[in-house]
Amino acid sequence: GDSDEYRQYVTTLSDTRVRYHRNAEHLGAMLNIFQAIYAGAGKYCLAFHEDDVLEPTYLEAAVRILESHPECGFVAAEVRELREASPGTSGHVATPCPAYDIFRSEADMVRAIASGVEPMFGSVLYRRSALAATRPDHKRFGTLVDRPFLLGILRSWSAAVIREPVAWYRVHGEDDRHEGMSSQQILELLKTYRATLPEEMSASDAALFHSYAANWLRILYRLTPDSKKPSFGRFMFQAWREGIYSPRWERRFGAGRVGRALFRRLTA
């Protein structure tokens, strides 16, 4: 829904395999990405971001994984940052059969994410049949919708994440991509993660989840527009009430500040 420059470019390609679809209105990045994911009819699909980088062997490797694992709903690469013109400084020689991990449940994926495995959304190659029963909840999650969407696929399918360097996300610096994000959407994301784990978490799950949540609550809060977030104390207090924040695992915030936030709330 931007300009006709794209239509003109596609015309110059003179390739009937390339189709251009213009949205009736400007949707913004995340809505447009999902428009692209559901637009085609091929066996597999990938919504690729034009400023990121994939190894030439990535699609071949991802299709090979999907073909050899019929229960696998999607393949993703791990996020690796790209700050220069090309990723050649990695020194990695791409292979057609890179190492990968299989995740067979939502809980397995959340544990992996909390351990530092970050699927790169722009690298995800979907099995189209795995998309049939899954739709993104943009209202609930806003610009954070990608992770819950992938977890939704894992309710019925497994997933694979390639662990070798095969994809790079171009770092943008400060931009307005989270301009529409609200503090409630951050809480909804962490609540979704928490709901995948057993109600009575093991000690290892509790340590993993709460350490991850404490860090990302703070990071995402900073990215939220001022008009869409309460005070930091009130935000963390709400996270504590929702069961997704534990002061035990957060040195920078701590039990004392939660206690003071609670006191201010009770005496307001």
Side-chain angles (χ1 to χ4, degrees):
D2 195 356
S3 73
D4 267 340
E5 177 185 352
Y6 303 102
R7 185 193 303 276
Q8 294 162 5
Y9 174 72
V10 170
T11 300
T12 65
L13 297 176
S14 300
D15 190 333
T16 57
R17 297 173 301 173
V18 181
R19 292 188 296 118
Y20 170 77
H21 173 80
R22 180 182 173 85
N23 296 322
E25 58 183 347
H26 189 72
L27 298 179
M30 194 59 77
L31 286 168
N32 190 53
I33 287 167
F34 279 101
Q35 186 91 331
I37 289 171
Y38 285 98
K43 184 177 181 181
Y44 305 119
C45 67
L46 181 150
F48 184 62
H49 307 176
E50 81 273 14
D51 57 348
D52 296 337
V53 175
L54 291 180
E55 280 283 0
T57 59
Y58 173 70
L59 288 178
E60 177 187 358
V63 168
R64 182 178 289 109
I65 294 170
L66 289 169
E67 291 289 334
S68 60
H69 293 278
E71 80 289 353
C72 190
F74 66 85
V75 174
E78 281 194 88
V79 171
R80 298 176 191 275
E81 292 187 350
L82 173 62
R83 295 179 180 273
E84 64 277 348
S86 71
T89 56
S90 68
H92 175 76
V93 179
T95 68
C97 299
Y100 60 91
D101 291 336
I102 294 285
F103 301 99
R104 303 190 183 281
S105 70
E106 297 171 88
D108 284 348
M109 179 62 82
V110 167
R111 290 185 182 104
I113 291 172
S115 299
V117 177
E118 288 288 348
M120 178 174 154
F121 188 51
S123 75
V124 179
L125 183 69
Y126 302 90
R127 187 186 303 275
R128 186 166 298 280
S129 55
L131 297 172
T134 308
R135 286 293 185 274
D137 191 340
H138 293 284
K139 183 176 181 181
R140 183 180 178 191
F141 299 108
T143 55
L144 304 174
V145 72
D146 54 322
R147 292 289 187 271
F149 177 73
L150 296 179
L151 291 177
I153 295 175
L154 276 160
R155 292 180 194 133
S156 304
W157 302 78
S158 65
V161 177
I162 295 177
R163 304 304 305 277
E164 297 184 30
V166 291
W168 286 263
Y169 170 81
R170 192 174 300 278
V171 176
H172 297 269
E174 296 295 328
D175 56 33
D176 60 356
R177 69 186 54 216
H178 292 297
E179 191 63 34
M181 184 170 68
S182 69
S183 60
Q184 186 58 42
Q185 289 167 344
I186 299 171
L187 298 177
E188 290 298 322
L189 173 66
L190 272 298
K191 284 163 59 178
T192 298
Y193 284 178
R194 174 63 184 90
T196 70
L197 300 171
E199 185 174 351
E200 294 293 329
M201 285 192 290
S202 65
S204 59
D205 275 352
L208 193 62
F209 173 78
H210 285 299
S211 297
Y212 176 86
N215 186 40
W216 279 97
L217 283 165
R218 186 172 63 251
I219 291 172
L220 293 173
Y221 177 87
R222 287 203 301 264
L223 293 173
T224 307
D226 291 341
S227 62
K228 294 181 179 292
K229 63 185 179 186
S231 69
F232 185 60
R234 187 176 293 274
F235 173 69
M236 296 301 280
F237 174 67
Q238 187 177 354
W240 175 70
R241 288 191 62 183
E242 297 281 6
I244 56 175
Y245 169 71
S246 173
R248 176 183 176 186
W249 305 105
E250 168 57 297
R251 293 178 182 175
R252 295 193 186 185
F253 195 69
R257 293 183 69 180
V258 168
R260 289 193 292 274
L262 176 60
F263 176 79
R264 286 195 297 271
R265 182 180 178 89
L266 293 175
T267 57

